[in-house]
Amino acid sequence: MKRLNLGCGKDYRKGWVNVDADKSVKADLYFDVSKKFPLKDSSFDYILAQDLLEHLTYQQAKNFLKECYRVLKPKGRLRIRIPNLFDIFKRFKKDPEVLFKFVYGDTSTHPIFGLHKWAYTRETLQKTLARAGFRLLWIKEVETNFEAEAEKVKLPEKPLKLVISGLDSGGFGGAEKFLLELSQELKKEGVKIKFLTVKNSEFESYLKKAKFKTLSFPFRNDITGNVKGLIKFFALLPLSLYLYPKTLKNLKKQGFNLLLTSGFSDKFLLTPLAKLLGFKIVWIEFAPLDFVFKKFFYLPKIFYRLVKDLPDIVVVPTYHTKNKLIPQTRISEAKMRLIPCGIKILKALKRAEYKRKAKKLKKKLGLEGSFVIGQISRLQKEKGQELLLKAATLAKRKIPNLKVVIVGKGDQLDSLKKLAKKLKVQKDVLFLGFWEDVYEALGLFDVFVFPSYWKGEGLGLAPVEALNLGVPVIAFDLPPANEVLKDSAYFCKPNEKSLTKAIIKLYSSPQLRRKLVLKGKRKINKYNIE
């Protein structure tokens, strides 16, 4: 029997392969267990990992268990010992020095290796092992620890067949674009996908262009809009409760096994039904929900809380969203996965092609020789187009050749045109409407401006796409933009005076623009949709 002792420390065992990262202790091999093991697949019968898992971050522990699974033979065993914090708190609540050493680790002799980074309950340890492909054989409490043994099992080969709900889609914005591009990438991996959509909706038309199969419903059922929408929601509820179960039953018969939804109303209408039928459930929450929960005497909040425990995984794109959602929704943090939204990363040749196209388009639109600032977004008040126009009017005093390009559609178009006329800059502002290829529009810009102060902002893919093309970005110093863009954008306060100064600053400093572009190129791979 070939046995592996990981993180052996002073527990060197004869006849075992003893491993540690600390070269001051006796071991047979020295390597970092949070990274890929320099060991062959299926080469060990037994792995011992005592007092090790708590020294790894949550993500590192996932990688560690994945590697343990890889190097174990079929039905090989993994033995783990970790601290039992419940018992530790109970024993040492009156002795804080000892308590803190148990909780945070002993860094007196090993400042790096002695630090504790994560903790587990009996339940979360079992789930973590199961996700890595292990079947828990037993777990018990031994003094201040949990001890457990698990067996490597063959991971299921059942193909993933995915249902994505777009029933709550009110148009084709950032969320819909992301779901479409995500689905295209999953399709490349062999995942079978079917969309639930509203008949003749904008989202459905884009899905059909991309040759995705859709099941269409005659209505949109949305509880987060206006009073008229609320009345419509309850009026159509009986029909929804007839059509949705029927559809999901048919999909289940066809072998579909996972439901992905990002729409608010979809979550409490579809999730309970799908769960009863045995679907796995994944929610995507792009943004905090406080502004939605407060509507209609907190009715959306009540509905949401009723189903909050049903999803298997809740994906969030930023720490900002995660930290806001936990107290708002009371969803268990153990279910949350922080995964940024993604985009297709442009290759150098494609970037150059877009730049060439932009030169021709600038000439056609009369923008040659101008310093162009622009925004791509849905036209709504909280997206900041009014502030952009006011700031551009002030900046034009210092930048005579300044032009503004606004791309997108929405109910604020007429009021924005009136404002441009009132500010006497209508000749310097172009409203281009919806642009299917976002990079063609971005190529027009010398600087992309992201003045959104909307509380429902998710990740904000448009400025990330600007970085992808190599366009410098100005953004308000607000979440989630300051988390997503960090040092690759020029931040200003959310008011027209500060935005004016930012525009003038980037105009007068080509060196700063180049610096931001270089930082953006280094950051962009984090958002690779692949």
Side-chain angles (χ1 to χ4, degrees), residues 281-305:
I281 313 290
V282 176
W283 288 0
I284 300 179
E285 288 296 5
F286 292 108
L289 293 169
D290 51 340
F291 72 104
V292 177
F293 279 178
K294 290 173 184 176
K295 289 191 170 191
F296 309 126
F297 305 101
Y298 293 90
L299 191 61
K301 184 177 183 178
I302 293 165
F303 282 156
Y304 193 99
R305 289 273 182 90

Side-chain angles (χ1 to χ4, degrees), residues 447-483:
V447 173
F448 179 87
V449 183
F450 188 64
S452 176
Y453 54 91
W454 185 38
K455 288 182 179 179
E457 197 69 67
L459 183 134
L461 280 177
V464 177
E465 288 166 331
L467 299 181
N468 195 17
L469 190 62
V471 178
V473 174
I474 294 172
F476 284 160
D477 194 5
L478 296 170
N482 50 11
E483 178 188 332

Side-chain angles (χ1 to χ4, degrees), residues 65-106:
L65 291 171
K66 184 181 175 183
E67 283 299 287
C68 288
Y69 184 92
R70 181 181 67 80
V71 303
L72 274 171
K73 293 176 183 177
K75 295 193 175 182
R77 297 203 173 181
L78 171 65
R79 177 81 173 266
I80 285 175
R81 184 171 72 197
I82 56 168
N84 176 358
L85 288 189
F86 294 111
D87 185 77
I88 289 164
F89 278 116
K90 190 176 175 181
R91 285 177 189 243
F92 303 110
K93 61 184 177 183
K94 292 182 180 177
D95 191 348
E97 254 187 71
V98 175
L99 174 65
F100 293 156
K101 192 173 281 189
F102 268 107
V103 174
Y104 296 108
D106 185 358

